[in-house]
Amino acid sequence: MKLISIAVVTAVALAAAGIAQAQDGAALAQKSGCMTCHALDAKKMGPSFKDAAAKFKGKTDADVVAAIKASKPHASSKASDDDLKAVSKWILTL
Ligand code: HEC
């Protein structure tokens, strides 16, 4: 019985952490100005983040950061490396 409650508590905590991360990622993308040119699941000036997630399936957040930095439209982005990494992690979860 005790084991079951530990499992339940752990599952709930993990789920809550996942939700917190998703909200953080979305908020950070908003804060970093990404949503001016991107939307979650519709093409704007740039591809939707869901399309980006599909393109980078199996790749790492470092790959996404590198692609963002390598592409011209992002040259004026003032997002810090830490923020880019966090947003990239979030994109990969979409
Ligand atoms: C000024 C508009 C603009 C802003 C702001 C912007 N993007 Fe983009 N983004 C684009 C365009 C246009 C493309 C597609 C062309 C390209 O990749 O060069 C793109 C492509 C991407 C891609 C796909 C790259 C690839 O290789 O397929 C990712 C991931 C991405 N952006 C993430 C971000 C993140 C995260 C932010 C916020 C820190 C951001 N973008 C801010 C315009 C923008």
Side-chain angles (χ1 to χ4, degrees):
M1 195 58 188
K2 199 165 181 194
L3 254 180
I4 292 173
S5 9
I6 291 173
V8 168
V9 168
T10 310
V12 170
L14 284 177
I19 291 167
Q21 201 195 8
Q23 284 173 345
D24 286 355
L28 203 54
Q30 187 78 47
K31 190 192 105 188
S32 307
C34 313
M35 307 323 266
T36 315
C37 303
H38 293 278
L40 200 58
D41 51 15
K43 189 173 161 29
K44 271 171 100 174
M45 193 167 352
S48 78
F49 279 154
K50 286 204 170 155
D51 282 351
K55 176 177 166 183
F56 286 93
K57 197 172 186 312
K59 300 262 171 71
T60 66
D61 50 341
D63 294 319
V64 180
V65 172
I68 295 171
K69 288 191 166 183
S71 102
K72 272 231 179 71
H74 304 115
S76 62
S77 167
K78 288 188 266 310
S80 71
D81 282 3
D82 279 353
D83 284 358
L84 277 184
K85 193 174 156 70
V87 175
S88 297
K89 271 205 175 124
W90 167 69
I91 290 173
L92 289 173
T93 66
L94 296 175

